[in-house]
Amino acid sequence: MLHILYFVHDLADPAVRRRVLMLQAGGARVTLAGFRRDDNALAAVHGIEPIELGRTRDAQFTHRIAAVAKSALKLHGSLRSVQKPDVIIGRNLEMLALANRARSIFGGDMPVVYECLDIHRLLLRKDTLGAALRGVERHFGSDAALLLTSSPAFVERYFRPRSGLDLPIVLLENKVLALDGLDDTATPSPRLPAKGEPWKIGWFGALRCRKSLALLDEFSRRMDGRFEIILRGRPAYSEFDDFDGVVRDAPFMHFGGPYKNPEDLATIYGEVQFSWAIDFFEEGLNSSWLLPNRLYEGGLYGAVPIAMDGTETSRFLASRKIGLTLDKANPAHLVALMSDMNEERYLAAFDAMAAQDRRQWMTDRADCQGLVQRLASLTRTNEQTAELQALPQLHRNRGGLQ
């Protein structure tokens, strides 16, 4: 059984839980190690006791770097009870550094995989700091055996033209983990609001965009209750002046707390007609290039996505002729997009979603097995390389004996 040592930036991140479940479903044994930013019991994986390397905080890059450096000095002790892994994965740049350190601790003969699902804004700066961080990424990533990333735009806009890394790439989109495949009984159906009830827009997942919060609040006020905004997930409180206060004072916005992914997805998406698939957190950069979790979640469970024009998400939707696109990021244009929503228009948008192949939204057990097989192939390649490197020395030894 392939043994994977997985270094992560946040043990409380539901996306980390999903990746661990995916690796386990593919047949791997996973040792999980990383930092914790907050407590989130919903992100725990049954049967796995993670190795906690310390605490970090959102939006505190300098603090995180210091925590990683401190952890690197103590990593040998932290890993003393861990069996030698076959593959090591580092989820983002800081964890890639620890993955390289762990490889040296275990003897330096196993492949390291760089998993990068967001391009941090500091890596995209055009100044000395940006150049230095890209240099750090090249330093730690140049010997990686594989790059895992989640959007074609990350490859086209950053990794190929700017990163300086030349690695084999596997695209792992943020699809819904559905290990048992399609369940016909769970096929979504249209959910028209009852007479007198509002249309509902769901904004679910990592809530980190203050511009989205303000836009949706103002939009719902202007629509005077015709639309209700439902928030679910983990707010990044460091990105908001007062998230709880804004939601409390918003007459048509409600926060329902965290949820378990993928177990609760059918329920929460089944309560809304539309999915907010927009993120201005790093506007024009990472937010324009990513394909968010909520795109796939809403797609699988029949929520019509709303995307921002000019983004990778809007291109994804346009190529399939589905969803709604906002052309400018202000309340007036969102009102113009949604104000004539009626039964006929909604059903047409829903039917276009329902006509899609549902497999494009989900990762099943076969996909998990394919990923683990790809990771296992790295160990074979590594062994073959080691054998080839040993041949000259073998020939020299034989020559000396003759």
Side-chain angles (χ1 to χ4, degrees):
M1 177 181 288
L2 190 74
H3 177 205
I4 297 173
L5 175 57
Y6 189 24
F7 285 97
V8 303
H9 66 299
D10 184 8
L11 294 166
D13 186 347
V16 167
R17 176 178 185 266
R18 185 180 62 216
R19 181 69 78 235
V20 171
L21 292 175
M22 186 176 178
L23 294 170
Q24 289 179 324
R29 178 165 65 90
V30 180
T31 298
L32 181 63
F35 295 87
R36 187 176 296 280
R37 295 188 185 177
D38 58 38
D39 295 316
N40 180 16
L42 296 179
V45 182
H46 180 70
I48 286 189
E49 186 66 34
I51 300 169
E52 296 205 17
L53 303 176
R55 286 261 178 175
T56 57
R57 295 188 293 270
D58 280 332
Q60 297 291 327
F61 185 74
T62 302
H63 176 266
R64 294 205 307 270
I65 294 301
V68 170
K70 182 179 179 181
S71 176
L73 295 175
K74 302 187 298 181
L75 195 60
H76 192 283
S78 300
L79 300 177
R80 61 183 178 275
S81 63
V82 177
Q83 183 182 352
K84 183 177 180 179
D86 301 302
V87 177
I88 305 174
I89 301 176
R91 187 182 178 102
N92 76 17
L93 180 54
E94 303 112 288
M95 298 301 101
L96 178 63
L98 287 184
N100 277 272
R101 170 67 178 144
R103 175 168 58 183
S104 67
I105 289 172
F106 285 110
D109 58 351
M110 72 283 296
V112 166
V113 174
Y114 180 23
E115 182 177 30
C116 184
L117 307 179
D118 284 298
I119 311 299
H120 197 283
R121 60 185 177 273
L122 294 180
L123 285 167
L124 299 169
R125 288 176 57 149
K126 297 180 181 179
D127 59 8
T128 302
L129 176 59
L133 285 175
R134 290 191 294 276
V136 170
E137 184 179 55
R138 286 192 296 274
H139 171 74
F140 288 116
S142 59
D143 290 334
L146 190 67
L147 170 66
L148 303 178
T149 193
S150 57
S151 171
F154 289 158
V155 179
E156 297 163 4
R157 301 294 189 91
Y158 177 72
F159 283 113
R160 283 180 180 157
R162 302 184 64 178
S163 73
L165 295 176
D166 183 18
L167 302 175
I169 297 173
V170 168
L171 185 66
L172 283 181
E173 296 172 77
N174 292 312
K175 298 181 179 183
V176 178
L177 188 61
L179 297 180
D180 296 324
L182 291 172
D183 182 355
D184 292 336
T185 64
T187 300
S189 56
R191 47 268 194 180
L192 288 163
K195 186 176 181 180
E197 293 293 316
W199 299 99
K200 293 183 180 180
I201 299 174
W203 180 24
F204 303 148
L207 307 178
R208 59 183 183 176
C209 178
R210 69 173 69 186
K211 186 170 179 177
S212 286
L213 186 67
L215 195 162
L216 289 167
D217 181 20
E218 180 60 25
F219 159 75
S220 62
R221 291 173 188 265
R222 292 191 185 191
M223 297 303 293
D224 196 26
R226 281 192 57 207
F227 284 82
E228 182 180 353
I229 312 302
I230 308 297
L231 311 180
R232 295 292 303 266
R234 298 174 69 213
Y237 284 101
S238 61
E239 302 301 328
F240 300 96
D241 294 330
D242 185 7
F243 175 86
D244 293 331
V246 170
V247 174
R248 183 181 59 248
D249 296 338
F252 309 112
M253 179 180 287
H254 304 283
F255 177 50
Y259 59 91
K260 201 165 189 177
N261 186 337
E263 290 86 344
D264 296 337
L265 294 178
T267 298
I268 65 173
Y269 280 95
E271 296 173 348
V272 301
Q273 289 85 30
F274 305 95
S275 172
W276 186 253
I278 296 177
D279 186 340
F280 303 107
F281 178 63
E282 293 180 355
E283 194 170 358
L285 301 171
N286 186 74
S287 290
S288 296
W289 302 342
L290 57 76
L291 292 174
N293 295 303
R294 56 183 70 98
L295 169 66
Y296 302 92
E297 295 167 0
L300 184 61
Y301 295 107
V304 177
I306 303 171
M308 189 69 218
D309 188 35
T311 63
E312 187 68 14
T313 303
S314 69
R315 285 186 284 273
F316 180 101
L317 298 178
S319 68
R320 293 158 174 79
K321 299 180 179 179
I322 56 176
L324 304 174
T325 301
L326 179 63
D327 57 355
K328 292 186 179 179
N330 61 55
H333 281 79
L334 186 53
V335 168
L337 177 66
M338 305 298 290
S339 61
D340 66 346
M341 186 58 59
N342 56 28
E343 179 177 335
E344 181 181 3
R345 186 180 174 208
Y346 165 69
L347 290 176
F350 176 87
D351 289 344
M353 294 290 295
Q356 295 289 306
D357 183 352
R358 295 184 71 207
R359 290 176 178 82
Q360 72 179 310
W361 311 117
M362 52 179 279
T363 294
D364 62 16
R365 196 173 298 274
D367 296 322
C368 299
Q369 293 168 346
L371 172 61
V372 171
Q373 288 169 8
R374 180 71 178 88
L375 295 173
S377 73
L378 301 176
T379 64
R380 294 190 290 272
T381 301
N382 211 50
E383 291 168 358
Q384 291 167 358
T385 300
E387 290 173 359
L388 290 173
Q389 292 173 341
L391 283 176
Q393 182 63 42
L394 179 61
H395 288 314
R396 285 195 295 271
N397 291 342
R398 287 176 175 172
L401 291 173
Q402 289 176 351

